[in-house]
């Protein structure tokens, strides 16, 4: 299938009316199982896929690598192609850099790198994205360690954004690479709910600066409409009026409104998104949680089989997931009520809290050798009893994604876009 750019996708989506209106889904690539589940569903329901990878998840080895499957950009690209080939998926899919740019690796921000050094590393990561056929780059220079707790000045954000796009475009043209698309802004740009006034002010100022340098306009501009993920729920308060206003403003400039942190939202909120004109939403940790819960469910099956004398010994996957997840510390950013200060020893004394932390951060451990070994044992034990564990995991992830596909009216969208 001829691959149209995401700029072209957005422009076509902005013209859809009535029952054809839809919202795109950006999927955080938490595992190979998630890639397979996404493609199986997209093959059945004819919609385009956007895989959104942060720099912590997927990045060059020289910059620290990624925690998802140890993927750098090439291995990530190769894994997606391999998954597509395995299930004969020939539809549209897009490799997207989520939150690219300076300080976007936790290590860079924690080290309080000077701006020049952080920008250099961000640029290096973007070039490797380019070389490995990424279709969209999120230009996000707002995770500045020197403005923690404060809103980054809009002009500083625009200056850095223009500098990064200009650099990437020069490098792309010099390498004779095809046109790519850009996403700009962040849910943190204006602090809290994005005001329509600031949103339009940002778009006008940015596009004016881009035009001065003959640079492309972005496909998406991020706005915060009230989404906020904590634990395994969305604790934000999505403002429908804000969604409608921001999407209308974005449409005036031929760009799409993009929301982040859409995990765990109620169906009633998701269903209204196409009508409100929201062009796309990102969802990531929810799918990692669903996969982790699927593994934990399968360990229950193992225990039941063992009790019936059908297994000699169950795997230690539950224990491995719990211990590795808690020790990783990755769960702290999702926690509330000061629980992020608890030590692993304190957490292990609370079975309920241990399970919660495992569910929200188990996906960070999927690539750990111990977890991989125990997962293999789990699959072998189940297979010996006629149960396909991997198939069940993929089924659960697929169902989770399908909720968004249905609510966002994505079925048949690829065919509509390619007309």
């Amino acid at each position: 299938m001829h691959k149209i750019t995401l700029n072209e996708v957005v422009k076509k989506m902005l013209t859809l009316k009535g029952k054809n209106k839809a919202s795109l889904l950006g999927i955080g690539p938490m595992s190979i199982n998630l890639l397979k589940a996404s493609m199986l569903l997209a093959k059945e329901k004819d919609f385009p896929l956007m895989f959104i990878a942060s720099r912590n998840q997927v990045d060059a080895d020289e910059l620290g690598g990624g925690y998802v499957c140890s993927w750098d950009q090439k291995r990530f690209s190769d894994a997606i192609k391999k998954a597509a080939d395995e299930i004969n998926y020939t539809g549209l899919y897009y490799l997207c850099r989520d939150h690219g740019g300076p300080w976007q690796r936790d290590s860079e921000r924690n080290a309080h790198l000077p701006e020049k050094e952080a920008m250099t590393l961000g640029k290096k990561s973007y070039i490797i994205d380019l070389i490995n056929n990424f279709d969209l780059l999120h230009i996000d220079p707002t995770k500045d360690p020197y403005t923690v707790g404060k809103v980054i000045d809009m002009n500083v954000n625009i200056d850095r954004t223009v500098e990064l796009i200009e650099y990437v475009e020069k490098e792309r043209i010099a390498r004779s690479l095809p046109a790519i698309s850009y996403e700009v802004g962040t849910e943190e740009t204006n602090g809290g709910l994005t005001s329509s006034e600031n949103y339009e002010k940002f778009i006008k100022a940015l596009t004016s600066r881009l035009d001065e340098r003959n640079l492309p306009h972005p496909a998406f501009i991020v706005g915060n409409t009230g989404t906020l993920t904590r634990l395994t729920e969305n604790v934000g308060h999505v403002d429908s009026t804000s969604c409608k206003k921001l999407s209308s403003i974005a449409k005036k400039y031929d760009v799409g409104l993009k929301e982040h942190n859409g995990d765990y939202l109620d169906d009633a909120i998701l269903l209204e998104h196409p009508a409100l004109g929201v062009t796309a939403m990102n969802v990531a940790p929810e799918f990692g949680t669903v996969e982790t819960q699927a593994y934990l469910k399968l360990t229950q099956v193992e225990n039941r089989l063992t009790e019936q004398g059908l297994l000699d010994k169950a795997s230690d996957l539950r224990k491995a997931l719990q211990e590795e997840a808690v020790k990783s510390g990755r769960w702290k950013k999702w926690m509330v009520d000061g629980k992020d200060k608890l030590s692993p020893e304190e957490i292990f004394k609370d079975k309920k809290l241990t399970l919660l932390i495992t569910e929200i951060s188990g996906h960070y451990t999927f690539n750990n050798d111990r977890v991989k070994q125990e997962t293999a044992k789990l699959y072998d034990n189940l297979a010996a009893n006629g149960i396909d564990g991997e198939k069940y995991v993929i089924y659960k992830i697929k169902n989770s994604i399908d909720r968004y596909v249905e609510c966002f009216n994505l079925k048949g969208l690829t065919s509509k876009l390619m007309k």
Side-chain angles (χ1 to χ4, degrees):
M1 180 180 290
H2 167 67
K3 193 170 187 178
I4 58 176
T5 68
L6 278 167
N7 277 76
E8 293 173 300
V9 168
V10 168
K11 285 181 179 178
K12 290 190 175 191
M13 289 191 69
L14 293 176
T15 68
L16 297 176
K17 292 180 171 57
K19 65 180 181 180
N20 290 320
K21 295 182 78 172
S23 300
L24 293 168
L25 175 65
I27 299 171
M30 300 303 188
S31 67
I32 291 173
N33 282 335
L34 191 143
L35 297 183
K36 291 178 180 177
S38 303
M39 288 182 174
L40 284 167
L41 191 60
K43 186 177 179 181
E44 287 175 22
K45 299 204 169 181
D46 184 33
F47 66 92
L49 292 165
M50 294 194 304
F51 294 113
I52 52 160
S54 72
R55 288 189 59 205
N56 286 323
Q57 292 170 332
V58 176
D59 209 355
D61 293 337
E62 64 186 281
L63 297 176
Y67 73 77
V68 178
C69 300
S70 294
W71 281 332
D72 65 359
Q73 288 91 326
K74 184 177 189 308
R75 291 191 289 273
F76 175 53
S77 179
D78 288 347
I80 291 177
K81 187 178 184 307
K82 183 181 178 185
D85 290 343
E86 282 181 6
I87 66 168
N88 193 30
Y89 175 68
T90 58
L92 292 174
Y93 68 79
Y94 297 92
L95 277 67
C96 307
R97 168 59 70 203
D98 185 35
H99 292 294
W103 301 295
Q104 288 295 345
R105 292 189 66 87
D106 291 344
S107 57
E108 294 175 5
R109 194 184 196 198
N110 293 338
H112 282 67
L113 292 184
E115 180 178 344
K116 186 175 180 181
E117 185 179 349
M119 288 285 277
T120 298
L121 292 174
K123 288 174 180 176
K124 186 176 286 189
S125 179
Y126 282 137
I127 297 310
I128 301 169
D129 293 343
L130 263 185
I131 293 168
N132 287 284
N133 306 313
F134 274 55
D135 301 287
L136 176 127
L137 302 181
H138 181 189
I139 308 294
D140 182 7
T142 64
K143 210 168 187 179
D144 190 325
Y146 300 99
T147 58
V148 175
K150 295 181 288 184
V151 178
I152 188 169
D153 182 81
M154 186 182 291
N155 291 321
V156 172
N157 183 12
I158 290 171
D159 286 344
R160 290 173 180 168
T161 298
V162 172
E163 179 184 338
L164 290 167
I165 292 178
E166 187 168 38
Y167 176 80
V168 172
E169 281 297 295
K170 282 183 178 176
E171 293 294 325
R172 181 187 66 78
I173 292 167
R175 288 171 167 78
S176 299
L177 294 170
I180 61 167
S181 300
Y182 294 95
E183 174 179 339
V184 301
T186 173
E187 65 270 21
E188 298 171 343
T189 297
N190 298 302
L193 203 67
T194 305
S195 75
S196 55
E197 294 79 14
N198 278 339
Y199 192 66
E200 183 154 21
K201 184 179 176 183
F202 176 76
I203 297 175
K204 284 179 78 170
L206 175 66
T207 53
S208 176
R209 291 277 301 278
L210 292 173
D211 288 342
E212 287 172 10
R213 289 163 173 74
N214 197 29
L215 295 170
H217 287 195
F220 301 109
I221 298 188
V222 182
N224 188 352
T225 60
T227 57
L228 180 63
T229 305
R230 289 291 181 269
L231 301 177
T232 55
E233 59 182 332
N234 205 300
V235 299
H237 301 282
V238 176
D239 189 308
S240 301
T241 301
S242 179
C243 286
K244 189 178 176 185
K245 281 183 180 177
L246 297 185
S247 64
S248 177
I249 291 167
K251 187 174 181 178
K252 273 170 58 178
Y253 297 88
D254 265 344
V255 296
L257 167 65
K258 182 96 166 290
E259 286 181 317
H260 286 205
N261 300 317
D263 311 71
Y264 310 113
L265 286 174
D266 186 83
D267 285 0
I269 296 171
L270 298 179
L271 282 162
E272 71 175 359
H273 268 53
L276 295 174
V278 177
T279 311
M281 173 190 277
N282 286 356
V283 176
E286 178 179 343
F287 302 138
T289 294
V290 167
E291 183 166 358
T292 300
Q293 290 170 335
Y295 289 128
L296 294 175
K297 184 64 68 177
L298 290 174
T299 64
Q300 291 180 24
V301 176
E302 268 191 308
N303 291 335
R304 294 171 72 90
L305 292 173
T306 304
E307 288 171 4
Q308 297 303 315
L310 297 171
L311 271 182
D312 291 333
K313 188 177 184 303
S315 71
D316 283 328
L317 180 58
R318 176 176 286 267
K319 184 179 180 183
L321 279 170
Q322 290 182 336
E323 292 181 354
E324 297 299 320
V326 171
K327 290 176 184 176
S328 75
R330 297 274 195 165
W331 43 271
K332 294 184 179 183
K333 67 178 178 178
W334 308 113
M335 298 303 284
V336 294
D337 301 330
K339 289 189 173 68
D340 59 316
K341 308 296 182 190
L342 294 175
S343 68
E345 291 72 27
E346 290 172 314
I347 290 165
F348 288 133
K349 290 176 184 176
D350 185 334
K351 289 185 178 179
K352 195 172 179 181
L353 182 58
T354 299
L355 176 60
L356 178 61
I357 286 174
T358 303
E359 289 181 339
I360 63 176
S361 58
H363 63 273
Y364 291 107
T365 75
F366 290 166
N367 198 51
N368 290 17
D369 287 339
R370 179 186 178 195
V371 172
K372 287 196 290 188
Q373 288 170 5
E374 295 304 326
T375 302
K377 287 180 188 175
L378 169 84
Y379 284 163
D380 286 345
N381 283 341
L382 295 174
N385 284 276
I387 300 168
D388 190 330
E390 182 181 11
K391 187 177 180 181
Y392 172 77
V393 172
I394 291 173
Y395 158 77
K396 294 298 286 186
I397 301 169
K398 190 177 162 190
N399 278 359
S400 181
I401 299 169
D402 195 29
R403 184 170 77 95
Y404 292 91
V405 173
E406 289 301 318
C407 289
F408 285 172
N409 196 31
L410 284 170
K411 188 174 181 181
L413 180 59
T414 295
S415 292
K416 293 171 191 172
L417 294 172
M418 299 307 293
K419 277 185 181 178

